[in-house]
Amino acid sequence: MSLNLRELSKRSQGLAPGHRACAGCGIPVLVRLLLAVAPDPPVVVNATGCLEVVSTIYPYSAWPVPWLHNAFENAAATASGVEAAARALFARGRIRRVPKVVAIGGDGGTYDIGLQSLSGAIERGHDFLYICYNNEGYMNTGIQRSSATPPGARTTTTPVGAHGRGKLEPRKDLTEIVVAHGVRYAAQASISHWGDLAKKLQKALATPGPTFLNVLTPCQPGWDYPPEDLVEIARLAVETRYWPLYEVADGRYRLTFTPRPPLPVRAWLERQGRFRHLLDDPEAVERFQAWVDANWDRLTARLK
C-alpha cells in the first residue's frame, strides 16, 4: 500500500469525529492512522484509560470496528481469548477469516497494571498487536505519575514545592522488556513522524505472532502545552533524542530516524509546564541531558 498522504486520505479514518478527546491530544492521531493502514478491520481490545473514556461514553461509540472494553490489567489476556476464539470459529467454518486482534492500552495499563498479562500473552505466542499509547502518566484519573513518567516531571503525585521537585525515578524501559521476550517485531514511534509510524503499524500487523508498538502520544493537560503545539512537542521529543525512533525485527535493531544534529533536551523541556521548575536549575537540566545521552548510547550500542 502507498504511504503517501493522498492515498491515506482516501481510506477510512476510523475513529468518528464525535470522540471527546482533549484538544491537543495525541491519541486520536494514532488510532486514526492505525485504522487507515490496517488492510482489514481489526478487532480492538481496549484497556481502561483515556482512549476508552473519550471514545465510548454510554450510549455512544466512536468506533466503526468491533471493540471490546476490559479492565486496566487484562487487555492482553482478553486479546488472547479473542484471538483463540476466532481461530476456533474459523476452523469450524463459522467465520471466513481470522481477524487481526489489536490490544490498545495507555502507559498505566501497560507499563504498570497490565504488564503481567502482556508478558503472559507474548510468552504464549498469541497472534496479536499490542499498542501502548504512551502519554507518560495516569492522565484520565488525575495526572498521577506512572513508571513511564520521566524524572523531574510534575504530576499530582510527584508535586513541586517545598518538599518535592517532581518525580525522582527514571522511567521504565518497557520496549526493551518486551524485546527481551523474543518477539519478532517491536518498535518505538511518535505521532509526529506519521510515515514512520504508518510503516511500523503495517509491519506489526503483517508479522505473525505477538508484536508491540510503544507510541509517544503527548497529553495536553498532563504535559501543559498549548493544544496547537501537539505535533511540535512530539517532534521535539524525537529531535532531542529523548524518544528514539527504532525497531527490533527478528532480534536486529535499527534506528528509523537519526536527528542530525540532535537538539539539546532543554528545547523539549521548556515547551512544557510539567518541567517549568527545572529550567532555573542548570544542574537539573544537565542531569536530564546526561540521562537522555546515556539512554541513546545504550540503544546505539545495540546497533553494532
Side-chain angles (χ1 to χ4, degrees), residues 69 138 150 217:
H69 170 230
Y138 288 83
T217 57

Side-chain angles (χ1 to χ4, degrees), residues 95-118:
I95 56 176
R96 294 181 178 178
R97 71 174 181 89
V98 177
K100 192 72 179 187
V101 179
V102 179
I104 306 178
D107 52 283
T110 308
Y111 277 68
D112 298 333
I113 306 173
L115 181 58
Q116 42 75 28
S117 70
L118 174 60

Side-chain angles (χ1 to χ4, degrees), residues 155-236:
T155 71
T156 54
T157 49
T158 57
V160 174
H163 302 287
R165 298 284 289 172
K167 189 189 176 195
L168 298 177
E169 305 83 7
R171 71 168 179 240
K172 187 188 296 179
D173 194 342
L174 179 64
T175 305
E176 288 307 311
I177 291 173
V178 172
V179 170
H181 283 70
V183 294
R184 289 189 58 194
Y185 188 81
Q188 282 194 177
S190 167
I191 57 99
S192 58
H193 292 63
W194 67 268
D196 178 78
L197 174 55
K199 290 177 183 176
K200 288 171 178 172
L201 285 166
Q202 286 186 308
K203 288 181 181 179
L205 289 168
T207 301
T211 56
F212 176 80
L213 289 185
N214 194 351
V215 185
L216 190 69
T217 57
C219 170
Q220 191 280 325
W223 296 20
D224 191 6
Y225 57 81
E228 62 271 22
D229 287 355
L230 164 64
V231 176
E232 179 67 3
I233 293 294
R235 186 188 67 78
L236 285 171

Side-chain angles (χ1 to χ4, degrees), residues 236 239-241 261-270 285 289 292:
L236 285 171
E239 297 280 358
T240 57
R241 293 178 173 175
L263 297 174
V265 76
R266 185 182 181 91
W268 182 68
L269 298 177
E270 64 188 8
V285 175
Q289 182 70 65
V292 169

Side-chain angles (χ1 to χ4, degrees), residues 35 64 81 95 99 102 123 131 140 178 193-194 204 206 226 237 246 255 291:
L35 297 178
I95 56 176
V102 179
E123 187 270 335
I131 300 175
N140 75 304
V178 172
H193 292 63
W194 67 268
Y246 72 100
L255 284 177
W291 174 68

Side-chain angles (χ1 to χ4, degrees), residues 14-16 19 27 31-32 34-35 41-72 74-75 78-79 82 97 99-106 131 133 140:
L15 205 64
H19 63 75
I27 301 171
V31 175
R32 287 164 65 89
L34 163 68
L35 297 178
V43 174
V44 175
V45 177
N46 192 181
T48 295
C50 290
L51 177 59
E52 169 261 330
V53 169
V54 304
S55 64
T56 59
I57 298 175
Y58 183 82
Y60 306 105
S61 172
W63 291 90
V65 298
W67 179 90
L68 181 63
H69 170 230
N70 50 265
F72 261 122
N74 58 354
T78 305
V82 172
R97 71 174 181 89
K100 192 72 179 187
V101 179
V102 179
I104 306 178
I131 300 175
Y133 61 91
N140 75 304

